[in-house]
Amino acid sequence: MLKSKTFVKKTRSGGVMKVVREHYLRDDIWCGSEVCTECKQDSTVLQKDACIESSLCPYPHYLVPDTNVVLHQIDVLEDPVIRNVIILQTVLQEVRHRSAPVYKRLKDIIHEQGRHFYTFTNEHHRETFIEREPGESANDRNDRAIRVAAKWYSQHLKTPESGPDGLKVVLLTNDQSNKLKAEETGLAVYKFDEYIKSLTGNPELVDCLALSNDDKNEITSSKVLFPEHLPLSKVQAGIKSGSFLQGTFRASRDNYLEATVFVQGEGEDSTEVLIQGLQNLNRAVHQDVVAVQLLPKNQWVAPSSVVLQDDGAAKDDNVDEDEEEKVLTGPLTETARRATGKVVGIIKRNWRPFCGMLNVSQIKESTRHLFTPADRRIPRIRIETRQASTLAGQRIMVAIDGWPKDSRYPNGHFVRSLGGAGEKDTEEEVLLLEHDVPHQVFSQAVLSFLPKTPWSITPEDMAQRQDLRHLTVCSVDPPGCTDIDDALHCRELENGKLEVGVHIADVSHFIRPGNALDKEAANRGTTVYLCGKRIDMVPELLSSNLCSLRSNVERFAFSCIWEMNHKAEILKTRFTKSVINSKASLTYAEAQMRIDDANKNDDITKSLRGLNKLAKILKRKRIENGALTLSSLEVRFHIDSETHDPIDLQTKELMETNSMVEEFMLLANISVAQKIYDEFPESALLRKHPAPPPSNYDILIKAAKSKNVMIHTDSAKALADSLDVAKVDGFQYFNTLLRILATRCMMQAVYFCSGMDSDFHHYGLASPIYTHFTSPIRRYADIIVHRLLAVAIGADSTYPDLMDKHKQSALCNNLNYRHKMSQYAQRASVAFHTQLFFKTRGIINEEGFVLFVRKNAIIVLIPKFGLEGTVFFNSKDKASPSLVFDEEGPSLKVEQHTFHIFDQVKVTISLDDSNIQHQKIRMALTEPVIPGVSVPAPEAEPQAKKQKLDR
């Protein structure tokens, strides 16, 4: 059968266009049930014995959820207990339109064979398709379509043998009107929460129920605590008229009563609006898209300089004035004031399941408890659970259902338990989930696109590549590296010039555009390196084997080869797909020893010395051109081979060979960037580093000035030159501190598409153009750059998405997000392992330097451990701190002592595990001695621990 739908729509030019859509109906669409004898189906999904222990439905039954049930109760539907579910095409299409994350989760369930979820295309079945009636809303039509399909299933699967206990179809809905209409047609229909509460064998599922509107009304108070959110129509009208601004809500980590709203503008016209106080925050949650209204200028304030956490006992549903006053704004000078506003509406909620811990209620028999998220930017969440005693001390996941205007906290529901708090596997899972790092096992669909093993290079492959197996190529990497992306060579040519090659793993040969393996790598975006663990972007067969440029095996590479003179000036550049055979896989230390050992004179060592000599010249030239040499302390853990706990912690030492490899990777990236931009000026994937706004340097300039050192920031070269000559007699560490501070002033480097931007400059490298080409095993951006370069040199064919600047730009947005979250996850992993290290050390004394001052604290850097910590001066101490701003920058006066940035101090370091969820390194001042500021007494290390640590 053929149906057609005719409608008219307005075109962009203002004209009217008639559209006719054909809709085909069939009578041979399978029902998917083992019970069925009518459908001639090759395979079935829905089981004959579809039994779940239910007091409402004691008979075998299939479930048909409506759209709202799927959208709001996906956490329950993901539980393995829920099986034999019919997902109608109507529901699937609505879910896809309304929530991409829920749609993906639903598709994942459908693909799990053991779950028996069946998709029925009711919109194309002759007996279940319905036309929309005159005056009927789209939502009502879809509800009717769901009822019609459920009724068809009931009749279709009914057999003469079916008695009262035979197989039935049960419609699940939370819509009262839909439920009544279904009952009128004789359907078995229940509210979703009624059905879940009837599962007597699985009472824990009740905790996973999202709150219905009735439930929300039950647990809120009559007192209105927050202003009403404006309806979307008024918000949109206000944004259009300019009375409201639209932006992304960013809660503060340090002060739960403060946030900023980032308002995206044209070019560099983006602004931030400061929000202070619970009333003005008005129930917005971190990363929500909100509408803000600016306050009158005489109400504008400065950002708070106090560190304030919402860690107290559970508050009643009220917002008192004392709490509002805790914001403690900064000094109200005209220059310190910031545009200040209030949230008037929510445009888009960006809620996700949050990891954290349960604060069990002190009220006996209570089922209502507060959940404290691990991320301090997220407010505490009120949930109902009957498992409180079991969940105490566990890391759990909770989702927000809503935040009424008469509730101090949002309402939510339990999702699942992650394991015991403090356990290494649990904490790793938490940090991966909290930083949105995809870490699930690669699916069979992804693995199916891997090459079959044993794999070898064929004569056909060799015919399409340059044979470079004779070259003395070697790789230089950190110890234990198995995903070797790059290798190098250097040799003297007959004409007296030098040939230098950077050979990069040819990952794009194995990952072809658009397949499941490519999509998974694009979504992951980057490999994530945690302490002692790696979350691969591509399966291990590629990352550690077939793509890894290991020694003494033949591997595909993409080579960038220069002819240079002895002054490191490039005379010729060529790119080629190649086959190499690395002669050595060296660590930085091994390569350095070869270069330094005068007795070694083999081909590998000669190549390394040639590379090192050229690298020094290249680095000097870069720095002369204004490239920045900044500093950030990286730490290395020595891990116990049995317990896998850290037994030593030290900052990483960089060698000449680190710099050697870096120089040639930078040179290859710049050479490739120029090539792909010349060939594809509209669709080249490039990387830029924007120059920081002048205000970013204020803290650096003032900190240097406090030591009578002048820093010039007119250009990257001026900054680099200033840093090179910045010295203070008797203060050896001053220059390193200054470079660490300068690093904090920098903007984030980002990927972008050349056709969507005009500013290509990389500020930190002082390069007019740059990209990433050298790490395709661990960065998806490099795979795209390889594909572009391959097309540019005629080594591969193009495809539509590669040349589409809009799709490239969208891809760049995801890559930037994944890269940022990867960095945060790595820092969180270092912080967790640092806590494990100090857990066994008791209290130790160390020297440090003041990096920042706050209104009630100083931030101290411990160079020995590359560790930052906060020394608090609480108001309950006799020492009442006061923050002072003058020409020499901020300082903190406590009693008779004033702290300035870069001051040297002595502190005790210990692990504060009083809050198991937010364990932190605690620092307390020992020098200078300030009366009234208490310091914990040192305690002796247990001898058994000491012996183990000395091993």
Side-chain angles (χ1 to χ4, degrees), residues 70-134:
V70 173
L71 284 170
H72 300 298
Q73 305 292 353
I74 188 69
D75 292 323
V76 182
L77 294 176
E78 283 180 324
D79 194 283
V81 170
I82 308 298
R83 300 185 305 277
N84 294 294
V85 179
I86 300 165
I87 301 295
L88 300 175
Q89 180 188 4
T90 306
V91 172
L92 196 63
Q93 288 175 339
E94 274 199 285
V95 170
R96 183 178 187 179
H97 175 67
R98 290 170 62 181
S99 175
V102 173
Y103 176 75
K104 184 181 184 303
R105 291 167 71 181
L106 181 60
K107 291 288 283 186
D108 289 343
I109 303 171
I110 291 168
H111 289 145
E112 282 185 54
Q113 290 185 351
R115 300 296 306 280
H116 304 284
F117 273 56
Y118 181 67
T119 306
F120 178 64
T121 50
N122 64 302
E123 296 290 355
H124 288 277
H125 194 289
R126 182 168 53 86
E127 294 182 40
T128 57
F129 171 77
I130 61 167
E131 297 270 15
R132 184 172 166 184
E133 294 176 349

Side-chain angles (χ1 to χ4, degrees), residues 268 628 630 689-698 700 713-716 719 742-748 759 761-764:
E268 297 182 3
L628 295 172
L630 300 177
H689 182 210
S695 59
N696 278 30
Y697 288 122
D698 288 349
L700 175 69
T713 59
D714 305 336
S715 64
L719 175 59
T743 304
R744 310 288 175 91
C745 301
M746 294 297 123
M747 304 290 283
Q748 186 77 35
D759 178 19
H761 190 72
H762 196 292
Y763 181 80

Side-chain angles (χ1 to χ4, degrees), residues 24-45:
Y24 290 88
L25 300 180
R26 303 171 57 164
D27 55 11
D28 58 351
I29 295 173
W30 304 334
C31 69
S33 172
E34 287 179 348
V35 175
C36 180
T37 55
E38 292 183 32
C39 297
K40 297 174 183 178
Q41 44 201 359
D42 296 332
S43 61
T44 56
V45 175

Side-chain angles (χ1 to χ4, degrees), residues 202-222:
N202 301 92
E204 72 282 355
L205 278 182
V206 174
D207 288 351
C208 300
L209 284 168
L211 293 177
S212 67
N213 287 331
D214 294 340
D215 294 329
K216 291 173 189 174
N217 292 335
E218 281 178 25
I219 63 174
T220 56
S221 71
S222 57

Side-chain angles (χ1 to χ4, degrees), residues 468 471-474 486-491 498-504 558-564 574 607 611 664-665 668:
L468 302 179
L471 295 178
T472 307
V473 174
C474 67
D486 54 87
L488 304 125
H489 88 270
C490 177
R491 63 171 179 166
L498 297 172
E499 180 186 85
V500 178
V502 167
H503 310 277
I504 305 301
F558 209 150
S559 301
C560 174
I561 300 171
W562 303 279
E563 186 178 315
M564 291 182 172
R574 65 187 178 95
S607 178
L611 289 165
F664 286 106
M665 297 305 110

